Amino acid sequence: MFDPDSFDDTSSDHEQFEKEQLAQDRDAAGVDTADVDDTTARRLVDDLIDVDVVTPVPEDRILVHEPSGTPFDSPRQLAVFHRGWTAGRDADAEGE
């Protein structure tokens, strides 16, 4: 026979619900980088150079993201990285 109390046991339901909520939060916090084309990347990098966030090193043909110290040889890679880096810092600031 079936134990009717086993159907009423919801002790693990809250854990499953919490896992689903955390997954949704991570998805919502994700940064979409698919829309970073070469023109958008170049514009963002130029703006970052203007505000001293990026330093071009012409002799090495690289761009250095100053806050992280990370070098890049592609404006598009740098733009995608900066978007993710900014989103990560924003998420950290919200969590404080």
Side-chain angles (χ1 to χ4, degrees), residues 47-68:
D47 291 346
L48 294 174
I49 290 171
D50 290 343
V51 295
D52 296 327
V53 172
V54 170
T55 302
V57 183
E59 59 272 6
D60 294 333
R61 300 188 66 167
I62 61 171
L63 300 162
V64 179
H65 185 256
E66 291 299 337
S68 67

Side-chain angles (χ1 to χ4, degrees), residues 33-48:
T33 58
D35 64 339
V36 180
D37 59 16
D38 289 335
T39 303
T40 303
R42 187 74 243 169
R43 190 175 316 121
L44 175 61
V45 169
D46 287 342
D47 291 346
L48 294 174

Side-chain angles (χ1 to χ4, degrees), residues 10-11 24 26 28-29 33-34 40-41 46-47 54-55 64 67 80-81 83 87 94:
T10 60
S11 60
Q24 289 176 7
R26 278 192 304 271
T33 58
T40 303
D46 287 342
D47 291 346
V54 170
T55 302
V64 179
V80 170
F81 174 84
R83 282 189 172 184
E94 288 177 9

